[in-house]
Amino acid sequence: GLGDVYKRQGMNNHIEFYRNWHATTENMIKFMRFSGQNMYLMGHYMYGSTLYPTKRFVYSQNTYQSGDGALDYGALMLRMFERNGMKLISNIQFGCTKEHRMPTVEEIARGEKPWALVSREGRPGGWGRDNTWLNWMHPRPQDDLLTVIDELLELYAQYPA
């Protein structure tokens, strides 16, 4: 992805990330046009963070942990794609938010209703302390997903791209 370069190079809090995001998007568009592509599927919400300025979930950095979380990378890309007659489709990879923490076995044993899926053995499902497999029957994850969708519609409904 666009931000993977910064992750590999360890450029957290990279002060020129927004400008470099623009340059990288410009190069991607040139390549897409050269190769006959006209659409890109962009993850606006991925890995428990955003590429847009969210009101509900407070992040100091963007999804790639390299740029300011208050800047709107999605709008920048939409404007660039629009100028080039291309389409950008929003994608949500909603596995968790930072607020969804892994429940402990003790909490599950006490009968607390966790946000995470729980196995028959009473163990929470997930791939680490901060990444849970959400229980979509619980109202909180449902509400959080709808919040992300509402935020994206509010921010990007006016863009034809």
Side-chain angles (χ1 to χ4, degrees), residues 42-54:
M42 177 184 173
H44 273 96
Y45 190 102
M46 295 171 41
Y47 312 119
S49 188
T50 67
L51 285 173
Y52 66 90
T54 176

Side-chain angles (χ1 to χ4, degrees), residues 68-139:
D68 188 342
L71 295 176
D72 196 342
Y73 303 92
L76 172 68
M77 289 183 75
L78 279 163
R79 289 190 302 271
M80 293 174 76
F81 271 70
E82 205 171 288
R83 273 198 316 258
N84 285 278
M86 301 169 81
K87 296 290 181 196
L88 186 79
I89 299 175
S90 291
N91 176 35
I92 301 171
Q93 183 191 56
F94 196 83
C96 64
T97 71
K98 302 281 191 240
E99 297 172 347
H100 297 138
R101 64 172 187 77
M102 184 70 77
T104 65
V105 174
E106 292 78 24
E107 289 171 334
I108 295 168
R110 285 196 304 264
E112 293 183 25
K113 303 265 191 258
W115 295 346
L117 290 177
V118 177
S119 71
R120 292 180 201 169
E121 295 81 32
R123 294 198 175 110
W127 58 90
R129 185 176 53 85
D130 294 327
N131 293 299
T132 60
W133 294 336
L134 294 180
N135 174 3
W136 291 106
M137 302 308 284
H138 193 288

Side-chain angles (χ1 to χ4, degrees), residues 15-96:
I15 205 158
E16 295 186 5
F17 187 87
Y18 192 76
R19 183 180 60 81
N20 290 346
W21 187 271
H22 180 276
T24 303
T25 302
E26 188 173 49
N27 289 334
M28 182 178 74
I29 287 172
K30 287 176 185 175
F31 172 77
M32 289 176 69
R33 291 173 60 106
F34 173 78
S35 61
Q37 301 175 53
N38 63 359
M39 182 196 72
Y40 181 67
L41 183 66
M42 177 184 173
H44 273 96
Y45 190 102
M46 295 171 41
Y47 312 119
S49 188
T50 67
L51 285 173
Y52 66 90
T54 176
K55 294 176 187 169
R56 167 78 188 280
F57 309 106
V58 180
Y59 302 116
S60 60
Q61 293 182 316
N62 66 16
T63 293
Y64 298 108
Q65 307 299 310
S66 299
D68 188 342
L71 295 176
D72 196 342
Y73 303 92
L76 172 68
M77 289 183 75
L78 279 163
R79 289 190 302 271
M80 293 174 76
F81 271 70
E82 205 171 288
R83 273 198 316 258
N84 285 278
M86 301 169 81
K87 296 290 181 196
L88 186 79
I89 299 175
S90 291
N91 176 35
I92 301 171
Q93 183 191 56
F94 196 83
C96 64

